[in-house]
Amino acid sequence: MVGGGRDAFIGAVHRHAMALDGQYELVAGALSSSPDKARASGRDLGLNDARNHGSWQALLDDELKRPPEERIDVVSIVTPNHVHYDVARAFVDAGFHVVCDKPLVHTSAQADDLVARVAKQGTLFAVTYNYTGYPMVQQAREMVRAGAIGAVRKVIVEYHQGWLATQLEGGSNKQADWRTDPARSGIASAIGDIGSHAENLCASVTGLEIDSLCADLTSFVPGRRLDDDGNLLLRFTNGARGVLIASQIETGCENDIRLRVFGERGMLDWRQEDPNHLVHAPIDGPRSILTRGSPWLCESARRACRLPAGHPEAFIEAFANLYGGVASDIRARIATGVPASAEQADYPRIEDGARGVRFIEKTVASSASDRKWTPMR
Amino acid sequence: MVGGGRDAFIGAVHRHAMALDGQYELVAGALSSSPDKARASGRDLGLNDARNHGSWQALLDDELKRPPEERIDVVSIVTPNHVHYDVARAFVDAGFHVVCDKPLVHTSAQADDLVARVAKQGTLFAVTYNYTGYPMVQQAREMVRAGAIGAVRKVIVEYHQGWLATQLEGGSNKQADWRTDPARSGIASAIGDIGSHAENLCASVTGLEIDSLCADLTSFVPGRRLDDDGNLLLRFTNGARGVLIASQIETGCENDIRLRVFGERGMLDWRQEDPNHLVHAPIDGPRSILTRGSPWLCESARRACRLPAGHPEAFIEAFANLYGGVASDIRARIATGVPASAEQADYPRIEDGARGVRFIEKTVASSASDRKWTPMR
Amino acid sequence: MVGGGRDAFIGAVHRHAMALDGQYELVAGALSSSPDKARASGRDLGLNDARNHGSWQALLDDELKRPPEERIDVVSIVTPNHVHYDVARAFVDAGFHVVCDKPLVHTSAQADDLVARVAKQGTLFAVTYNYTGYPMVQQAREMVRAGAIGAVRKVIVEYHQGWLATQLEGGSNKQADWRTDPARSGIASAIGDIGSHAENLCASVTGLEIDSLCADLTSFVPGRRLDDDGNLLLRFTNGARGVLIASQIETGCENDIRLRVFGERGMLDWRQEDPNHLVHAPIDGPRSILTRGSPWLCESARRACRLPAGHPEAFIEAFANLYGGVASDIRARIATGVPASAEQADYPRIEDGARGVRFIEKTVASSASDRKWTPMR
Amino acid sequence: MVGGGRDAFIGAVHRHAMALDGQYELVAGALSSSPDKARASGRDLGLNDARNHGSWQALLDDELKRPPEERIDVVSIVTPNHVHYDVARAFVDAGFHVVCDKPLVHTSAQADDLVARVAKQGTLFAVTYNYTGYPMVQQAREMVRAGAIGAVRKVIVEYHQGWLATQLEGGSNKQADWRTDPARSGIASAIGDIGSHAENLCASVTGLEIDSLCADLTSFVPGRRLDDDGNLLLRFTNGARGVLIASQIETGCENDIRLRVFGERGMLDWRQEDPNHLVHAPIDGPRSILTRGSPWLCESARRACRLPAGHPEAFIEAFANLYGGVASDIRARIATGVPASAEQADYPRIEDGARGVRFIEKTVASSASDRKWTPMR
């Protein structure tokens, strides 16, 4: 693991997710950009001193010195965004499998470069768009694919947060600090941090490609250097229309990401704060509430469940499903020498990460433009 | 009453709303543009033959011949949209109070003309934006005014319907027929019929003025002549941002109008399909669910309730509250010779109707434009 | 109308319900047991002085003096409970149709006597168990009858209120005063006032007959003379089991009556505070949410709707459905000389009222008994 | 671990719960009563052959032969109920700390014996009433203790399941098989398996003691040998009243355990299928929805959270909180030689387990009795 030391948020989530199903063991790390903090954090977690490093470069050097059978199988990069590219590039070039948090990198140039390097190495590269790991998201995706709602006409994807409604940056809140700092977060905050999740959720479930978008980004909090609210109109290549909302200043909201997909024959509605349910309304009958763990779900959704219906699973379990997909792929590669199919090993790929970076760039460009529509390509 | 005969939808709602509180008696009508149907409809309702007319002109003529004490106090215009202007103008010019359904008229020129005529006559003119009649909408409005959520930064107003997801026009569905016919509905369908409600709900609760808007209107159903889906970005004059969605092709949706208002200090959330509740989330505490009929509501919300909490009131009751406001105003004018204050007689005025017409025009213009922002003025 | 004057609660509801559909005209009344208040209340409502009486006896005398074509068609008795019997008996004996609020009377002896008198007269006698007037309750009843959930095994019926959690009686709260006074309310408060609604809702939807019951009634508020909380186990004659809860001291509850019915093949769940929805969970598929106004509802539920789906109807509309059933029956009797069938004229009958009185008596007896089961007969 | 091999349900949950926070390592096991299956299950989980045993006796023998520093810290007993007593007694007598699933044992004689043995040894003994591990349950408990709802008057605790609505036993469903078998499940099924959870949830949150109870247990499914539906009236020693429902034949229900507590000053409402929320309705204001992870929760609830508000946690996380409490206690004992306080190490104790066994016995006795009230002591 690179990053995720003391005071980090998402690093601990990655560790819970890895631990949950007993498929991962954390054996080495460089848990902070500060060497002392890195090593202290590693000791907190029981890392062996020999593999508890003060920098990611030291971690990589050490791994490469070890015989292959002792090396890590995969590295998790859970640092703030600006560190992703260098670390990911180095580990990919060294032939390691990588799990990287989102958004992938700061620029499409970096993203395209990484995509090419991964393709060249043939290694695994996962991006932790964790919301697609929820079983009911997988159920929604399968239902769209199977035509349960007919051709998609309209998508509404929303990500409502309120935690940045006041100026938290510049104080002791490390999370607020780096997310609102262009040097670390990149060119966007709300759209980068959570809008990219919304884009991925939409793409993952609907399979639609954005043709062009029209964005209005705002910084509401005085002194803030990046957007804290973004609203977009979307046009998809199949003619469907969409609305995407991502905000960090919507007071009273916690982590409310929701997707509604309207097809010619019905509708699907999923909300992350009530993740064990999926609403399906066919055009010609009453709406039904599908629940995680039910025997009538599709196979991929059922595989993504640990517990029967009524025994809720949540954020960490969904996150662990991504790690489970990565583990399946690594096992397949070890066992057979070839990657598992996307169906056997279900997790977001580097191409999803690269598309997300382009989405952020185009959104920022659109917001600055007087033209209504900014094409995605 | 003009319009609202057999097969009409909203006319019956107006009659229920008038009847509910015993403040109105339906004494005269021209209930259809077809003279035979008009008279048959009037007989269904027990109208006296002498006041059951085959045309609105006949109704007006007859009223003017009667001595003032026998005349109607107010006329309700509940025809399809294209008839509103002629009828309203004639009755206003003749000195009658008017209640008119929305959208007010087809063009801003007509609307401005009506506003001027009403001003000249000094008569009452109400527009039945009925959703503002709900007690919890009034509670929301008062809370915004009182600063309960601080300065408003963001508004999301949505109106989701799915009934026009297939081609119902051209068959036996009279409601679908006229709403999708430019000659009768005007330049817009989804934005005119329901988007105008969304605009009014937003304006009524927040008091904000739209500075400019960016719209994307679509006709999804093959052969349809007007928009059946509209999505807008809004900028308000105070710097707030907004999203407005109005759709008639969102399968699985019934009549789902919802308003969320995010201020610097908190949030309000109201949904018409659950109208007896209002969610209030302050920035520094848990969200609370205010219920209609509770003693801790503001005075105007309490006045708008007939029943104690837990005994739900709904659509007709909210509609009746508008008629109640009109009745209060008429009584005040009769008793004192001057109109009641807006506080004593709470109902949407002709200025709201005119603003709604302008909103429709600007939305249609924006949708046709390559410019991102279309100013409201 | 007898009762329902100034300060009354339910009388106004009856008047709204009568007015809503334009089928009733209030022409005569004795609106209070205090003659002055009765007449003042009648003047508030615009009653003609000649038919605005100071006592129900005067009202009855006056009606009998009038020629049949001038007489009222039906009397509504909306007084506190202790007055029901004398008024109802007198009007029945005089040949009038009667609508009477619940619980019907104080004792089974009175109830049986009334049943016999009504049978002898052949007149109409409705009891306003208003919750059965909700369209989705009628949908539930039809689904049970049609076998949609198989044989019923278990019923949970709950009625939660909290308004009497403190001592409101003895002060200015007239509603609390008479409901907690044995002389006026009868032998029970929570079980009489709201438990009887729960019993009726259960019986109406399930068609099951209670075989025996086991009750625990409590008066929590110091000084209170009647029960304010009741909890019952039920055994039905078909072997089904049930739980009935009726409480007036459940703080935070408003008017939360809910029925769940579990059959061998599925479940139905309806809550009055969300009356436009009915949850149906079949044993072999996801739960669905049926909504009022949907085309796939049964005929009786559709007939009970004024508005399309998504335009909510509520308490007064449900109440008005009972009055609508009464009106249909009266019209049929006038037109054909014979009563309408129960299907054509759907409202609770005097037998339902009598069964409710017996339920109250048996519940009170059970609560005082050491035996577990008290038979209903 | 003893039990929890292939085909088991709850054993896997225990392992997820132990793994989640990285505080446990599974080092030894006897995972089935069938030696071959036990060892195969252990190999599935990567147990070292030397500590992968064919019987719990072999496991215990082996542990006792090892030097203390190599021994397990704690044993988890996750077998069907009938095995609990022998295993627990043996491990307690040998001085091991024990985590045991519920219900604790078959009889109060066994339970009292275990309590005495644990007291004598001074060892830790936890019973996995996992629902008390939810942060919002801990919040509810603290609010009751702090007087937020005043003195408790009424409790409604419900546990609705539907999975045994048909005859699953006697086929391939191992879970149904043992739970409906008196030899393995004990004297009760619904009341034992889930009613005991309801009793514990109620006792844990309210702190109330049941004085007497009145039960009606039924076996609805033909051929079933134990109750599959139970309904109880409760009287608490402080005068409060209660209703407890536990059913396995409520079609359409999944795992719906809910607790409502009504005090003189307010109400609390928690549902396991929506576990991140707690409803609090004060008597004099609107109801509020407390969410897990909020800064305004009590300290114990905040400690029980891994993730911020809006990032839901669920069943496994709650289960892991119990294991976290056990780990804290073991660490304290190792570090200081004395147990942690109940506040520092929050988990259900053997006394809770023993009380649960007595509750089951009294419920079964009450159901067979003609007397209304069966005292708990």
Side-chain angles (χ1 to χ4, degrees):
Chain A
M1 176 168 279
V2 176
R6 289 176 178 176
D7 300 336
F9 161 56
I10 205 67
V13 174
H14 281 255
R15 288 192 295 269
H16 286 302
M18 285 189 273
L20 183 65
D21 297 316
Q23 299 207 66
Y24 288 84
E25 191 181 356
L26 181 63
V27 294
L31 301 172
S32 171
S33 55
S34 145
D36 287 351
K37 191 172 174 182
R39 278 184 287 257
S41 301
R43 282 192 296 272
D44 290 350
L45 299 171
L47 280 189
N48 186 311
D49 280 351
R51 300 183 84 169
N52 182 16
H53 303 282
S55 73
W56 65 264
Q57 293 91 342
L59 166 63
L60 179 57
D61 287 349
D62 181 62
E63 287 298 317
L64 290 173
K65 285 184 201 142
R66 294 177 181 272
E69 67 276 11
E70 267 187 30
R71 287 183 196 167
I72 56 173
D73 289 304
V74 57
V75 63
S76 272
I77 305 172
V78 300
T79 65
N81 303 345
H82 65 297
V83 181
H84 288 178
Y85 175 67
D86 286 346
V87 182
R89 187 179 59 178
F91 276 86
V92 167
D93 287 351
F96 287 95
H97 300 316
V98 174
V99 174
C100 184
D101 213 286
K102 41 52 57 187
L104 179 61
V105 288
H106 276 190
T107 69
S108 276
Q110 293 172 335
D112 294 344
D113 177 62
L114 271 189
V115 169
R117 289 171 190 269
V118 168
K120 185 176 159 207
Q121 293 285 348
T123 45
L124 179 161
F125 198 108
V127 180
T128 49
Y129 285 120
N130 52 289
Y131 296 111
T132 62
Y134 275 107
M136 299 317 283
V137 171
Q138 301 183 14
Q139 175 71 18
R141 185 185 61 187
E142 294 307 314
M143 289 179 76
V144 172
R145 284 185 189 168
I149 62 168
V152 173
R153 284 172 168 170
K154 176 87 176 269
V155 182
I156 304 175
V157 58
E158 308 164 75
Y159 201 144
H160 307 288
Q161 290 186 338
W163 69 294
L164 287 174
T166 57
Q167 191 183 350
L168 296 183
E169 60 265 40
S172 63
N173 189 317
K174 193 191 147 181
Q175 298 301 321
D177 227 38
W178 78 256
R179 279 180 170 79
T180 59
D181 174 6
R184 287 176 284 173
S185 190
I187 58 175
S189 174
I191 282 298
D193 192 31
I194 61 175
S196 59
H197 272 302
E199 184 276 335
N200 190 261
L201 181 63
C202 171
S204 169
V205 170
T206 68
L208 297 183
E209 189 183 345
I210 297 174
D211 177 74
S212 51
L213 51 79
C214 170
D216 188 21
L217 304 187
T218 306
S219 290
F220 276 108
V221 174
R224 184 154 293 162
R225 291 173 291 166
L226 292 172
D227 60 295
D228 48 26
D229 181 74
N231 307 296
L232 286 82
L233 306 179
L234 304 177
R235 290 184 157 187
F236 297 94
T237 55
N238 77 332
R241 296 296 189 263
V243 174
L244 186 151
I245 299 172
S247 181
Q248 296 166 323
I249 55 86
E250 288 176 356
T251 37
C253 294
E254 295 175 344
N255 193 49
D256 190 3
I257 174 166
R258 178 185 186 188
L259 175 68
R260 282 176 280 182
V261 186
F262 302 94
E264 294 183 359
R265 303 292 308 155
M267 179 266 271
L268 293 169
D269 185 359
W270 180 80
R271 264 192 80 213
Q272 192 265 157
E273 294 189 1
D274 182 22
N276 291 280
H277 299 113
L278 172 68
V279 177
H280 171 224
I283 196 173
D284 51 3
R287 57 179 53 195
S288 62
I289 314 288
L290 293 158
T291 52
R292 190 201 50 73
S294 298
W296 39 79
L297 300 189
C298 69
E299 198 188 324
S300 69
R302 277 183 284 125
R303 264 205 316 265
C305 297
R306 288 157 194 80
L307 303 177
H311 300 71
E313 299 188 51
F315 191 90
I316 292 172
E317 288 79 358
F319 220 114
N321 287 338
L322 261 62
Y323 270 100
V326 170
S328 295
D329 198 359
I330 293 175
R331 288 186 198 283
R333 289 166 189 250
I334 290 171
T336 70
V338 294
S341 69
E343 206 155 86
Q344 294 167 312
D346 193 3
Y347 59 86
R349 312 282 164 137
I350 192 168
E351 290 78 11
D352 298 288
R355 197 188 60 245
V357 172
R358 197 164 59 244
F359 168 76
I360 296 168
E361 288 176 336
K362 296 297 185 183
T363 298
V364 171
S366 169
S367 187
S369 168
D370 288 336
R371 277 186 314 159
K372 186 186 275 179
W373 297 108
T374 296
M376 261 294 273
R377 297 205 159 268
Chain B
M1 176 168 280
V2 175
R6 289 175 178 178
D7 299 336
F9 160 55
I10 205 67
V13 174
H14 281 255
R15 288 192 295 268
H16 286 301
M18 284 189 274
L20 183 65
D21 297 317
Q23 300 207 65
Y24 288 84
E25 191 181 356
L26 182 63
V27 292
L31 301 172
S32 172
S33 55
S34 147
D36 286 350
K37 191 172 176 183
R39 278 184 286 256
S41 301
R43 282 192 296 272
D44 290 350
L45 298 172
L47 280 189
N48 187 312
D49 281 350
R51 300 184 85 169
N52 182 15
H53 303 282
S55 73
W56 65 264
Q57 293 91 342
L59 167 63
L60 179 56
D61 287 350
D62 182 63
E63 287 298 317
L64 290 173
K65 286 183 202 145
R66 294 177 182 272
E69 66 277 12
E70 268 186 30
R71 288 184 196 165
I72 57 172
D73 290 305
V74 58
V75 63
S76 272
I77 305 172
V78 299
T79 65
N81 302 345
H82 65 298
V83 182
H84 289 178
Y85 175 66
D86 286 346
V87 183
R89 189 181 56 178
F91 277 87
V92 167
D93 286 351
F96 287 95
H97 300 315
V98 175
V99 174
C100 184
D101 215 287
K102 41 51 58 187
L104 179 60
V105 287
H106 275 189
T107 68
S108 275
Q110 292 172 336
D112 293 345
D113 176 61
L114 270 189
V115 169
R117 289 172 190 269
V118 169
K120 186 177 159 205
Q121 293 285 349
T123 45
L124 178 162
F125 198 108
V127 181
T128 49
Y129 286 119
N130 52 289
Y131 296 110
T132 62
Y134 276 107
M136 300 317 284
V137 170
Q138 301 183 15
Q139 175 71 18
R141 184 185 61 187
E142 293 308 312
M143 288 178 77
V144 171
R145 284 185 189 168
I149 60 167
V152 174
R153 284 172 168 169
K154 176 89 176 267
V155 181
I156 303 175
V157 59
E158 308 164 76
Y159 201 145
H160 307 287
Q161 290 186 340
W163 69 294
L164 287 173
T166 58
Q167 190 181 352
L168 297 183
E169 60 266 40
S172 63
N173 190 317
K174 193 192 146 180
Q175 298 302 320
D177 228 36
W178 78 254
R179 279 181 170 80
T180 59
D181 174 6
R184 287 177 283 173
S185 191
I187 58 175
S189 175
I191 282 298
D193 192 31
I194 61 175
S196 60
H197 272 302
E199 184 277 334
N200 190 262
L201 181 62
C202 170
S204 170
V205 170
T206 67
L208 297 183
E209 188 183 345
I210 297 174
D211 177 75
S212 52
L213 52 77
C214 170
D216 188 22
L217 303 186
T218 306
S219 291
F220 276 107
V221 173
R224 184 155 291 162
R225 291 174 292 166
L226 290 172
D227 60 294
D228 49 25
D229 182 75
N231 307 297
L232 286 84
L233 306 180
L234 305 177
R235 289 184 158 186
F236 298 93
T237 55
N238 78 332
R241 296 296 190 263
V243 174
L244 186 151
I245 299 173
S247 182
Q248 296 165 324
I249 55 85
E250 289 176 355
T251 37
C253 294
E254 295 174 344
N255 193 50
D256 190 3
I257 173 165
R258 178 185 186 188
L259 175 68
R260 283 176 279 182
V261 185
F262 302 94
E264 294 183 359
R265 304 293 307 157
M267 180 268 270
L268 292 169
D269 185 359
W270 179 80
R271 264 192 80 213
Q272 191 264 156
E273 294 189 2
D274 182 23
N276 291 281
H277 299 112
L278 171 67
V279 177
H280 171 225
I283 196 173
D284 51 2
R287 58 178 53 194
S288 62
I289 315 288
L290 294 158
T291 54
R292 191 202 49 76
S294 298
W296 40 78
L297 299 190
C298 68
E299 198 188 323
S300 69
R302 277 183 286 125
R303 263 203 318 263
C305 298
R306 288 156 195 80
L307 302 177
H311 300 71
E313 299 187 52
F315 190 90
I316 292 172
E317 288 78 357
F319 219 115
N321 286 339
L322 260 61
Y323 270 100
V326 170
S328 296
D329 198 359
I330 294 175
R331 288 187 198 282
R333 289 165 189 252
I334 290 171
T336 70
V338 294
S341 69
E343 205 155 86
Q344 293 167 312
D346 192 4
Y347 59 87
R349 312 282 165 137
I350 192 167
E351 291 77 12
D352 297 290
R355 196 188 60 244
V357 173
R358 198 164 58 244
F359 167 76
I360 296 168
E361 288 177 336
K362 297 297 184 183
T363 297
V364 171
S366 169
S367 187
S369 168
D370 288 338
R371 277 186 315 159
K372 186 186 274 180
W373 296 107
T374 295
M376 261 294 272
R377 299 207 158 265
Chain C
M1 178 168 279
V2 176
R6 291 175 178 178
D7 299 338
F9 160 56
I10 204 67
V13 174
H14 281 255
R15 287 192 296 269
H16 286 301
M18 284 189 274
L20 182 65
D21 298 316
Q23 300 207 67
Y24 288 83
E25 191 182 356
L26 182 63
V27 293
L31 301 172
S32 172
S33 55
S34 146
D36 287 350
K37 190 172 176 182
R39 278 184 287 257
S41 302
R43 282 193 297 273
D44 290 350
L45 299 171
L47 279 189
N48 187 313
D49 281 351
R51 300 183 85 169
N52 181 15
H53 302 283
S55 74
W56 65 265
Q57 293 92 342
L59 166 62
L60 178 57
D61 287 350
D62 181 62
E63 287 299 315
L64 290 173
K65 286 183 203 142
R66 295 177 181 272
E69 67 278 11
E70 268 187 29
R71 287 184 196 166
I72 57 173
D73 290 304
V74 58
V75 63
S76 272
I77 305 172
V78 299
T79 64
N81 302 345
H82 65 297
V83 182
H84 289 179
Y85 175 66
D86 287 345
V87 183
R89 188 181 58 178
F91 277 86
V92 167
D93 286 352
F96 288 95
H97 300 314
V98 174
V99 173
C100 184
D101 214 286
K102 41 52 57 186
L104 180 60
V105 288
H106 275 189
T107 68
S108 275
Q110 292 172 336
D112 294 344
D113 177 61
L114 270 188
V115 169
R117 288 172 190 269
V118 168
K120 186 177 159 207
Q121 293 284 349
T123 45
L124 178 161
F125 198 108
V127 180
T128 49
Y129 286 119
N130 53 290
Y131 297 111
T132 63
Y134 276 107
M136 299 317 284
V137 170
Q138 299 183 15
Q139 174 71 17
R141 185 186 60 187
E142 293 308 312
M143 289 179 77
V144 171
R145 284 186 188 167
I149 60 168
V152 174
R153 284 173 168 169
K154 175 87 176 269
V155 181
I156 303 174
V157 58
E158 309 164 75
Y159 202 145
H160 307 287
Q161 291 186 339
W163 69 294
L164 287 174
T166 57
Q167 190 181 352
L168 297 183
E169 61 265 40
S172 62
N173 190 316
K174 193 192 146 182
Q175 298 302 321
D177 228 37
W178 79 254
R179 278 181 170 80
T180 59
D181 174 6
R184 287 177 284 174
S185 189
I187 58 174
S189 175
I191 283 298
D193 192 31
I194 60 174
S196 60
H197 272 302
E199 184 277 335
N200 190 262
L201 181 63
C202 170
S204 171
V205 170
T206 67
L208 296 184
E209 189 183 344
I210 298 175
D211 177 75
S212 52
L213 53 77
C214 170
D216 188 23
L217 304 186
T218 307
S219 291
F220 277 108
V221 173
R224 184 154 293 162
R225 290 174 292 166
L226 291 172
D227 60 294
D228 49 26
D229 181 75
N231 307 296
L232 286 83
L233 307 180
L234 304 176
R235 289 184 157 185
F236 297 94
T237 56
N238 78 332
R241 296 296 190 263
V243 174
L244 187 152
I245 299 172
S247 181
Q248 297 166 323
I249 55 86
E250 289 176 355
T251 37
C253 294
E254 294 174 345
N255 193 49
D256 190 3
I257 173 165
R258 177 184 186 188
L259 175 68
R260 283 177 278 182
V261 186
F262 303 94
E264 294 183 359
R265 304 292 308 157
M267 180 268 270
L268 292 168
D269 184 358
W270 180 80
R271 264 192 80 212
Q272 192 266 156
E273 294 189 2
D274 182 23
N276 291 281
H277 298 112
L278 172 67
V279 177
H280 171 224
I283 195 172
D284 50 4
R287 58 178 52 193
S288 62
I289 315 288
L290 294 158
T291 54
R292 191 202 49 74
S294 299
W296 40 78
L297 300 189
C298 68
E299 198 188 322
S300 69
R302 277 183 285 124
R303 264 205 316 265
C305 297
R306 289 157 194 79
L307 303 176
H311 300 71
E313 299 188 50
F315 191 89
I316 291 171
E317 288 79 358
F319 219 114
N321 286 338
L322 261 61
Y323 269 101
V326 170
S328 296
D329 198 0
I330 293 175
R331 289 186 198 282
R333 289 166 189 250
I334 290 171
T336 70
V338 294
S341 69
E343 206 155 84
Q344 294 168 310
D346 192 4
Y347 59 87
R349 311 282 164 137
I350 192 168
E351 290 78 10
D352 297 290
R355 196 188 61 243
V357 173
R358 197 164 60 245
F359 167 76
I360 296 167
E361 289 176 335
K362 297 298 184 182
T363 297
V364 171
S366 168
S367 187
S369 169
D370 288 337
R371 278 186 313 160
K372 186 187 275 181
W373 297 108
T374 296
M376 260 295 272
R377 299 206 158 266
Chain D
M1 177 169 281
V2 176
R6 290 175 177 177
D7 300 336
F9 161 56
I10 205 65
V13 174
H14 282 255
R15 287 192 296 269
H16 286 302
M18 285 189 274
L20 183 65
D21 297 317
Q23 300 206 65
Y24 288 83
E25 191 181 356
L26 181 63
V27 293
L31 301 172
S32 172
S33 54
S34 146
D36 286 350
K37 191 173 175 180
R39 278 184 288 256
S41 302
R43 281 192 298 272
D44 289 349
L45 297 172
L47 279 189
N48 187 310
D49 280 350
R51 300 183 85 169
N52 182 16
H53 303 281
S55 74
W56 65 264
Q57 294 91 343
L59 167 64
L60 179 57
D61 287 350
D62 181 64
E63 288 298 316
L64 290 173
K65 285 182 203 145
R66 295 178 180 271
E69 68 277 11
E70 268 188 29
R71 288 184 197 167
I72 57 172
D73 289 305
V74 58
V75 63
S76 271
I77 305 173
V78 299
T79 65
N81 303 344
H82 65 298
V83 182
H84 289 178
Y85 176 67
D86 287 346
V87 182
R89 188 179 59 178
F91 277 86
V92 167
D93 286 351
F96 286 95
H97 299 316
V98 174
V99 174
C100 183
D101 214 286
K102 42 50 60 187
L104 179 61
V105 287
H106 275 190
T107 69
S108 275
Q110 292 172 336
D112 294 344
D113 176 61
L114 271 189
V115 169
R117 288 171 191 268
V118 168
K120 186 178 159 206
Q121 292 284 349
T123 45
L124 179 162
F125 198 108
V127 181
T128 49
Y129 286 119
N130 52 289
Y131 297 111
T132 62
Y134 275 107
M136 299 317 284
V137 171
Q138 300 183 15
Q139 175 70 18
R141 184 186 61 187
E142 293 307 314
M143 289 178 76
V144 172
R145 284 185 189 167
I149 61 168
V152 174
R153 284 173 168 170
K154 176 87 175 269
V155 181
I156 304 175
V157 58
E158 308 164 76
Y159 201 144
H160 307 288
Q161 290 186 339
W163 69 294
L164 287 174
T166 57
Q167 190 182 351
L168 297 184
E169 59 265 40
S172 63
N173 190 317
K174 192 190 148 182
Q175 299 301 321
D177 228 37
W178 78 256
R179 279 181 170 80
T180 59
D181 173 6
R184 286 176 284 173
S185 190
I187 58 175
S189 174
I191 283 298
D193 192 31
I194 61 176
S196 60
H197 271 302
E199 184 276 336
N200 190 262
L201 181 63
C202 171
S204 170
V205 170
T206 67
L208 296 183
E209 189 183 345
I210 297 175
D211 177 74
S212 52
L213 52 78
C214 170
D216 188 21
L217 304 186
T218 307
S219 290
F220 276 107
V221 173
R224 184 155 292 161
R225 292 174 290 166
L226 291 171
D227 60 294
D228 48 27
D229 182 74
N231 307 296
L232 287 82
L233 307 179
L234 305 176
R235 290 185 157 184
F236 297 93
T237 55
N238 78 332
R241 296 295 189 263
V243 174
L244 187 152
I245 299 173
S247 182
Q248 296 165 323
I249 55 86
E250 289 176 356
T251 36
C253 295
E254 295 175 344
N255 194 48
D256 191 3
I257 174 165
R258 179 185 186 188
L259 175 69
R260 282 176 279 182
V261 185
F262 303 94
E264 293 183 0
R265 303 293 308 156
M267 180 267 271
L268 292 168
D269 185 358
W270 180 80
R271 264 192 81 212
Q272 192 264 157
E273 294 189 1
D274 182 22
N276 291 281
H277 299 112
L278 171 68
V279 178
H280 171 225
I283 196 173
D284 51 3
R287 57 179 51 195
S288 62
I289 315 288
L290 294 158
T291 53
R292 190 201 50 74
S294 299
W296 40 78
L297 300 189
C298 68
E299 197 188 324
S300 69
R302 277 184 284 125
R303 263 205 316 264
C305 297
R306 288 157 195 80
L307 303 177
H311 300 70
E313 299 188 52
F315 191 90
I316 292 173
E317 287 80 357
F319 219 115
N321 286 339
L322 262 61
Y323 270 101
V326 170
S328 296
D329 198 359
I330 293 176
R331 289 186 198 281
R333 290 167 188 249
I334 291 171
T336 70
V338 294
S341 70
E343 205 156 85
Q344 293 167 313
D346 193 4
Y347 59 87
R349 313 282 164 137
I350 192 168
E351 291 78 12
D352 297 290
R355 195 188 61 244
V357 173
R358 196 164 62 245
F359 168 76
I360 296 167
E361 288 176 336
K362 296 297 184 182
T363 297
V364 171
S366 168
S367 186
S369 168
D370 288 337
R371 278 187 314 160
K372 186 186 275 180
W373 296 108
T374 296
M376 261 294 273
R377 300 210 155 263

